Amino acid sequence: MIRRFFAYYKPYKRLFLLDFSCAVLAAIIELMFPLAVNQVVDDLLPSGNWSLILWACVGLLFIYLLNALLNYVVTYWGHKLGINIETDMRNESFQHVQKLSFRYFDNTKTGHLVSRMTNDLMDIGEMAHHGPEDLFIAIMTLLGTFGIMLAVNPKLAVMIFILVPIIMLLTIYFGKQMSAAFSQLFGDIANFNARVENNVSGIRVVQSFTNEEHEIAKFKESNDLFRWTKLRSYRIMANNSSMNYVLTKILSLFVLLAGAWFVIDGQMTYGEFIAFLLLANVLIGPIQKINAVIETYPKGIAGFKRFIEFLETKPEITDPPHALQLSHVHGEIRYENVSFSYKHDKRVLDHLNLHIRPGETIALVGPSGSGKSTICHLLPRFYERDRGRIMIDGIDIQDISLKSLRSHIGIVQQDVYLFDGTIRDNIAYGKLDATEEEIWEAARKAQLEDVIYSQADGLDTLIGERGVKLSGGQKQRIAIARMFLKNPSILILDEATSALDTETEQAVQEALDHLAQGRTTIVIAHRLATIKKADRIAVVADQRIIEEGSHDELMRRKGAYYRLYMAQFGDRASAGI
């Protein structure tokens, strides 16, 4: 883990060396000051040479100004190093998110993901800056201080350093407690974020059911747990800080008493005594730094552990070593003995076979939960089949690169997802480098032109989060316009009009019919009237396709499709309406 952590320093070697060198120089200068005071008191003061004392103080002032400059570099550029590493880790996290399959998101709360990319990484930046630097300088300063003390008065130096291990052991003990506390804290933050995200996303449902009090109670429960964990963490930190303060003051008092005795006994000069007092204060600095590192380390390492765990979540679906790139797709699709299950104990599809010819429109119908959407989700490899083969133009989709495969497949769903931004942004998402003319052409084909003209800002109209400012039909037409820009060879229409009113559905259906022209199209629809013109209809039930044919053929057979159609239309169907 330490090796993996230090690998993030590689792009910033120069910045690290600058920060580290300045910090070391600042620490050395800090050690020089007690020796300088010793010389002033024991050598310069008895001589009475005011001019020499003045110049010595000017020299010390110059050293302090240099130290101030060095500390500025350490504070700003050192934190820049930590922020750069934190930013790289956050970028790596986001890139990893893009590779994960639908199955991962099915089982992971959004709030937990957000927490991993924000809170978990905040303390890592601090640890990246202060951890190695402060630890090295603290050890160097401790050894340097001890060396100078030994040179000044060996007896007193040894007596003082007997107390140092006691302080260090207590610091390490509290550090372990904090590590456990902060690991739990990060988990509680993730749950807290998930609760807030869940409520905000579903606020319309909450208010429509007047369940505000219920949500407030659940939030209070998460919030109280978060509060308790945080208080426990800071109680441990307070115990550590208070104990450290008492021990360091005891150290100062010990130096004062022992040093005074050595002066009275004639074993130390006044200058050496003052130098020892100053060195004792210098000695407290590295102990406090080690304490600060141990406080920061548990938070940083807890976040880094969660970060590593997340990165080690292997994408379920990846490209093969020599993945094919498809330049053109005719649109022939074959499912051969395909089996699939979301959970190992429950099969959704079992030995399903289906052949779709290039340019054909096939409709999938059947009861809810029969696997219609699953069939479509397997084609772009949003999920990986368990058994069997799925082929496009005779090539197994597992031999095709994901980017190439998905670039030739377009999906329009019932629940359209639009990004917070403008109409232009959302249409252009189908082709990021689309020209203004191409965007307008796509809008016209999707029957969206009048909608755009009716908005005060036209294409630059802000649509709100998830397109909240638009009607269902308008959102569907933006999704269709987006698909016109993408121009895929294979089109999947998953309940694309089921949530619309009759008039809007008719307008959207015309746009979809235009979109489907010349493409292999798979349509999922519960409203059977919308798929009567399909070249072929396949009935999905009992984990496979049990019946297929045109609308008229299936009605004549009076099988599963006939029963579905009669259940939906009843007497109207019998009357030929």
Side-chain angles (χ1 to χ4, degrees):
M1 184 176 289
I2 291 170
R3 264 201 314 271
R4 289 189 72 168
F5 182 74
F6 278 104
Y8 288 95
Y9 285 86
K10 284 183 181 178
Y12 310 107
K13 286 179 183 175
R14 291 182 181 178
L15 192 57
F16 176 74
L17 288 172
L18 172 67
D19 171 48
F20 200 78
S21 303
C22 289
V24 170
L25 282 172
I28 292 170
I29 290 170
E30 201 69 34
L31 284 173
M32 289 169 59
F33 181 68
L35 293 175
V37 171
N38 184 5
Q39 293 297 313
V40 170
V41 173
D42 281 350
D43 297 334
L44 299 182
L45 199 57
S47 71
N49 190 336
W50 175 251
S51 176
L52 200 57
I53 293 171
L54 184 63
W55 279 110
C57 289
V58 169
L60 281 173
L61 176 63
F62 174 77
I63 290 170
Y64 275 137
L65 290 174
L66 176 62
N67 212 16
L69 178 62
L70 293 171
N71 280 317
Y72 174 84
V73 172
V74 170
T75 303
Y76 177 72
W77 294 98
H79 277 102
K80 184 178 180 181
L81 169 68
I83 290 166
N84 287 350
I85 289 171
E86 181 187 335
T87 302
D88 287 350
M89 288 179 177
R90 196 166 282 122
N91 283 334
E92 194 172 351
S93 293
F94 190 78
Q95 288 170 18
H96 189 65
V97 167
Q98 309 308 306
K99 299 174 186 175
L100 296 173
S101 65
F102 279 22
R103 197 188 297 270
Y104 177 83
F105 297 106
D106 291 344
N107 299 310
T108 306
K109 294 179 181 178
T110 305
H112 283 210
L113 266 179
V114 172
S115 181
R116 285 182 184 274
M117 296 173 66
T118 52
N119 300 323
D120 285 13
L121 296 178
M122 284 180 181
D123 287 306
I124 293 178
E126 283 298 300
M127 188 177 74
H129 168 212
H130 290 295
E133 171 194 299
D134 283 4
L135 196 59
F136 177 82
I137 290 166
I139 293 168
M140 184 196 77
T141 308
L142 274 173
L143 294 175
T145 307
F146 185 53
I148 295 169
M149 283 181 167
L150 279 173
V152 174
N153 191 305
K155 286 182 184 178
L156 186 54
V158 171
M159 290 168 68
I160 288 170
F161 265 80
I162 290 170
L163 290 173
V164 172
I166 299 170
I167 298 171
M168 296 299 297
L169 285 171
L170 284 168
T171 303
I172 291 166
Y173 167 75
F174 283 111
K176 286 182 178 178
Q177 285 193 320
M178 282 194 292
S179 181
F182 280 111
S183 290
Q184 185 178 344
L185 181 63
F186 281 128
D188 288 345
I189 289 171
N191 289 329
F192 180 81
N193 286 344
R195 166 56 49 203
V196 173
E197 191 273 335
N198 207 32
N199 178 267
V200 172
S201 298
I203 193 66
R204 287 169 178 77
V205 177
V206 172
Q207 292 183 356
S208 66
F209 282 92
T210 64
N211 279 341
E212 293 89 345
E213 293 299 323
H214 171 72
E215 289 296 319
I216 290 167
K218 289 178 74 174
F219 177 80
K220 187 177 184 303
E221 185 180 333
S222 296
N223 202 21
D224 286 345
L225 182 62
F226 181 39
R227 173 183 172 274
W228 180 84
T229 307
K230 205 164 187 180
L231 283 174
R232 176 173 171 265
S233 304
Y234 283 107
R235 185 174 66 246
I236 295 168
M237 190 184 290
N239 289 339
N240 184 27
S241 179
S242 299
M243 186 63 68
N244 184 263
Y245 175 81
V246 170
L247 288 170
T248 52
K249 293 308 173 188
I250 288 172
L251 181 66
S252 297
L253 286 172
F254 179 79
V255 173
L256 186 63
L257 286 170
W261 171 259
F262 277 107
V263 171
I264 293 167
D265 198 45
Q267 296 183 46
M268 285 182 76
T269 65
Y270 286 106
E272 288 172 343
F273 175 52
I274 294 170
F276 244 94
L277 283 172
L278 293 172
L279 284 167
N281 285 323
V282 171
L283 188 65
I284 291 166
I287 292 172
Q288 289 176 336
K289 273 194 174 181
I290 290 171
N291 184 39
V293 168
I294 291 173
E295 280 186 10
T296 307
Y297 176 82
K299 292 189 283 184
I301 209 65
F304 189 66
K305 278 181 182 177
R306 285 167 60 85
F307 169 72
I308 292 299
E309 285 169 9
F310 175 62
L311 289 188
E312 287 178 349
T313 305
K314 293 184 179 178
E316 183 186 344
I317 299 168
T318 56
D319 285 340
H322 303 289
L324 299 173
Q325 304 293 328
L326 300 182
S327 57
H328 179 72
V329 168
H330 294 288
E332 183 188 21
I333 302 167
R334 283 185 182 273
Y335 290 76
E336 294 183 352
N337 294 311
V338 173
S339 298
F340 175 78
S341 56
Y342 291 103
K343 295 180 180 179
H344 295 297
D345 58 341
K346 189 175 181 181
R347 190 64 61 84
V348 178
L349 301 175
D350 188 25
H351 293 92
L352 177 136
N353 290 282
L354 178 64
H355 177 218
I356 306 171
R357 292 178 288 275
E360 184 180 23
T361 295
I362 185 167
L364 302 179
V365 300
S368 296
S370 59
K372 302 184 296 296
S373 293
T374 301
I375 293 171
C376 296
H377 288 160
L378 291 176
L379 187 61
R381 292 182 69 196
F382 291 151
Y383 297 92
E384 204 74 285
R385 77 225 180 194
D386 297 336
R387 295 178 191 168
R389 291 200 304 170
I390 302 174
M391 294 183 290
I392 293 178
D393 293 350
I395 304 170
D396 193 317
I397 59 172
Q398 288 190 332
D399 295 329
I400 305 169
S401 79
L402 286 171
K403 186 173 182 180
S404 178
L405 173 68
R406 292 171 183 174
S407 67
H408 291 287
I409 300 172
I411 304 172
V412 181
Q413 296 174 304
Q414 174 187 343
D415 184 19
V416 174
Y417 189 93
L418 299 180
F419 295 95
D420 183 18
T422 64
I423 293 175
R424 181 197 309 276
D425 296 336
N426 277 279
I427 295 175
Y429 204 78
K431 184 183 177 185
L432 297 177
D433 59 349
T435 63
E436 186 84 357
E437 186 180 339
E438 286 175 324
I439 292 171
W440 275 109
E441 179 63 23
R444 278 191 286 273
K445 288 178 178 177
Q447 300 196 15
L448 192 62
E449 197 173 19
D450 291 342
V451 174
I452 295 170
Y453 282 131
S454 69
Q455 306 293 327
D457 296 322
L459 281 172
D460 296 315
T461 301
L462 292 169
I463 62 172
E465 190 173 2
R466 294 180 66 94
V468 70
K469 296 180 182 179
L470 301 175
S471 69
Q474 290 169 341
K475 287 194 283 188
Q476 284 287 12
R477 277 178 267 188
I478 287 179
I480 295 167
R482 191 158 63 187
M483 206 52 62
F484 271 115
L485 274 184
K486 184 177 183 181
N487 193 27
S489 302
I490 298 169
L491 183 64
I492 296 171
L493 305 177
D494 189 353
E495 301 282 356
T497 63
S498 63
L500 305 178
D501 61 80
T502 306
E503 186 177 347
T504 306
E505 181 186 14
Q506 187 176 355
V508 171
Q509 190 62 51
E510 287 177 15
L512 288 173
D513 290 342
H514 188 183
L515 179 62
Q517 287 177 11
R519 308 175 203 272
T520 302
T521 306
I522 303 173
V523 183
I524 299 174
H526 276 122
R527 294 186 187 179
L528 302 184
T530 62
I531 47 95
K532 288 170 70 174
K533 295 179 183 177
D535 298 319
R536 195 153 41 102
I537 298 168
V539 182
V540 184
D542 300 327
Q543 304 169 350
R544 57 176 60 86
I545 290 171
I546 59 171
E547 190 176 56
E548 58 181 298
S550 68
H551 169 77
D552 292 337
E553 289 171 352
L554 294 176
M555 289 298 288
R556 284 196 296 271
R557 288 184 203 169
K558 295 193 175 183
Y561 177 78
Y562 175 82
R563 289 191 295 274
L564 283 171
Y565 194 84
M566 294 303 292
Q568 194 168 118
F569 295 99
D571 295 336
R572 292 178 62 199
S574 301
I577 298 174

